Amino acid sequence: MSRKFQTLAALSLLSLACSQHANAHWLDGHNYVAIELGSNRASQQNLYQQGFNFVNIGFDNDFKFASARAISVGRALDIGPRIELSYSQRSNDIQSFGNRLYDGGGVLAGEGKEQLKSWVVNLWYDFDLKPLGLPFKPYIGAGLGRGSLDVKGLAAGGVSFGDASADVDVRQWGFGVSWDVSEAMTLDLGHRRVRTSTGGFGNIPNIPPGNVEASYRAFTTQLGLRLKF
């Protein structure tokens, strides 16, 4: 686990703990849990070995509402900031293999699924527009965390490359807008952009031996439900 993530996680837990005992006005607010579902679009992924890009992986980015899922717990302050700890899963089917260095180029249809599972500490800021007579709150923010990038059933051209996994640092930023449906319930329409550090998958069957490295980029459009407690 990276030091950045450990620090942010500790701050998140400290904020939630302090909120139970502090009466200072600047800490007034509420706790919440949130469930989020959305459609994930993954960018083309370049796989490297010994510094050479030997294949590009393309993904099926058709709209699939539950290809991104998350659950979060957080603390929202009345003055705007909102800090949360979130667990999410993003997945996409593998569609193609291009720029095949070991096979003379060209593109092949691909098989398999790639999934990013991550824990991220987010810091959001809600802009209260009620003084302007508007019933919603735009927000913006970012987060840091740690995750696992997993590939299952990787295959192309009748050749199986098996499964692989890599640990990665995760960072994201996002924005959205929320509506208070009631005193205890808030709807949230948001956009997230996520990117990881380069992870090492080790040796993969049926390609020349050597550590395979790759990073991950994606963006998600999602609908969330927050419940105050």
Side-chain angles (χ1 to χ4, degrees):
M1 184 179 294
S2 70
R3 289 185 178 180
K4 288 182 179 178
F5 180 59
Q6 289 176 328
T7 300
L8 284 170
L11 288 174
S12 177
L13 294 174
L14 180 61
S15 173
L16 291 174
C18 289
S19 67
Q20 302 301 317
H21 305 286
N23 292 317
H25 176 71
W26 65 275
L27 279 179
D28 287 349
H30 63 268
N31 299 325
Y32 65 88
V33 293
I35 298 174
E36 297 156 347
L37 292 174
S39 180
N40 192 63
R41 296 176 60 86
S43 299
Q44 176 181 282
Q45 187 175 47
N46 300 323
L47 270 60
Y48 292 87
Q49 199 174 53
Q50 297 179 349
F52 292 98
N53 175 204
F54 69 92
V55 69
N56 300 334
I57 294 180
F59 297 93
D60 176 6
N61 283 320
D62 290 342
F63 183 88
K64 296 177 181 178
F65 185 64
S67 56
R69 305 170 295 279
I71 184 168
S72 307
V73 59
R75 173 74 177 174
L77 304 183
D78 289 343
I79 58 174
R82 176 161 51 89
I83 189 168
E84 68 180 20
L85 178 63
S86 177
Y87 174 74
S88 66
Q89 296 182 358
R90 291 173 166 85
S91 61
N92 290 87
D93 293 329
I94 293 170
Q95 190 173 60
S96 64
F97 288 72
N99 190 37
R100 298 177 299 118
L101 180 65
Y102 297 140
D103 298 300
V107 179
L108 286 177
E111 300 176 25
K113 181 183 292 289
E114 185 169 66
Q115 184 176 65
L116 175 66
K117 303 175 183 177
S118 62
W119 287 92
V120 175
V121 176
N122 297 306
L123 180 61
W124 307 107
Y125 191 91
D126 294 311
F127 298 91
D128 189 358
L129 301 183
K130 288 182 180 178
L132 301 178
L134 300 175
F136 52 85
K137 292 182 180 179
Y139 67 86
I140 192 169
L144 292 173
R146 187 72 174 166
S148 174
L149 195 55
D150 303 317
V151 180
K152 304 290 185 182
L154 188 63
V159 179
S160 173
F161 304 101
D163 302 338
S165 181
D167 294 328
V168 289
D169 292 325
V170 179
R171 58 187 183 275
Q172 76 166 2
W173 67 272
F175 57 87
V177 62
S178 64
W179 298 264
D180 290 330
V181 178
S182 68
E183 289 187 2
M185 185 183 301
T186 300
L187 286 178
D188 179 331
L189 178 62
H191 179 81
R192 306 287 186 267
R193 298 230 173 202
V194 62
R195 187 165 189 166
T196 74
S197 61
T198 299
F201 291 92
N203 292 316
I204 292 181
N206 294 318
I207 67 170
N211 183 37
V212 174
E213 296 180 317
S215 60
Y216 175 88
R217 291 181 298 156
F219 56 94
T220 304
T221 301
Q222 63 185 40
L223 184 65
L225 176 64
R226 287 186 237 147
L227 300 175
K228 303 175 184 178
F229 67 93

